[in-house]
Amino acid sequence: MKIRVGFGFDVHRLVPDRELWLGGIKLEHELGLLGHSDADVLIHAICDALLGAANMRDIGYHFPDTAGEFKNIDSKILLARTVKLIAGKGYTVGNIDATVCAERPKLKARIPEMQEVLADVIGIDVDDVSIKATTTEKLGFTGREEGISAYATVLIEKK
Ligand SMILES: [Zn+2]
């Protein structure tokens, strides 16, 4: 069996009058993430990690923000398509470990739901999807609540 690791990182700006989508679910918050798609920063970091592990460029390469078909698209669709892309090279997802950096809203209570949704989209066990949340101690753009960032590490395998 061949195994490979990948790493992904993403940032989106927080703005008024946008829904906040994170980890495939909608959160109640007075601000939302700005982007061409639904701007789900956690899913985007995971997609980039998967593409990186398979050495298949990045999310912007496959799903350009100039393409009308991706306007306000549910990022779960992009994740499902990413899983298909790496399957084209013979890879399946082993496990995911991700961290979201956000000052607010508090994510702790919603993480099990995100894990379930993402595991379902990817087609792996919930136990293979780890999502961690942290603040940045009020420092930097995440600390000032100007945006949310996410990091993801993944392992993919080919039998
Ligand atoms: Zn993004």
Side-chain angles (χ1 to χ4, degrees):
M1 185 167 73
K2 184 176 174 72
I3 60 170
R4 289 166 70 142
V5 295
F7 170 76
F9 170 69
D10 195 29
V11 174
H12 282 270
R13 186 188 292 270
L14 278 167
V15 296
D17 303 317
R18 278 277 295 189
E19 292 180 345
L20 177 57
W21 284 86
L22 201 59
I25 65 171
K26 193 180 154 192
L27 301 175
E28 286 307 318
H29 195 47
E30 73 271 22
L31 302 172
L33 292 172
L34 182 65
H36 186 70
S37 64
D38 66 7
D40 190 321
V41 68
L42 173 56
I43 289 186
H44 294 180
I46 291 169
C47 287
D48 254 2
L50 291 168
L51 292 169
N55 197 359
M56 295 180 77
R57 308 286 298 262
D58 55 47
I59 190 170
Y61 178 84
H62 294 281
F63 314 115
D65 63 9
T66 48
E69 66 171 306
F70 302 124
K71 182 121 181 81
N72 290 322
I73 196 171
D74 180 343
S75 291
K76 292 190 286 295
I77 295 169
L78 303 182
L79 178 58
R81 285 173 67 162
T82 300
V83 170
K84 254 192 196 155
L85 280 168
I86 69 161
K89 257 183 137 172
Y91 289 105
T92 55
V93 181
N95 75 297
I96 292 170
D97 183 23
T99 298
V100 180
C101 303
E103 200 64 37
R104 284 187 321 127
K106 288 287 168 232
L107 304 175
K108 196 171 157 186
R110 305 298 300 277
I111 283 178
E113 206 180 325
M114 294 180 193
Q115 288 174 295
E116 258 178 53
V117 166
L118 297 186
D120 187 53
V121 171
I122 298 163
I124 57 178
D125 288 347
V126 175
D127 190 44
D128 291 323
V129 181
S130 155
I131 300 170
K132 310 185 299 297
T134 185
T135 70
T136 54
E137 298 286 339
K138 296 195 161 42
L139 295 169
F141 68 86
T142 49
R144 291 189 297 269
E145 299 182 42
E146 293 166 3
I148 293 179
S149 61
Y151 302 83
T153 303
V154 304
L155 184 139
I156 61 172
E157 47 199 34
K158 193 194 285 204
K159 297 245 154 51

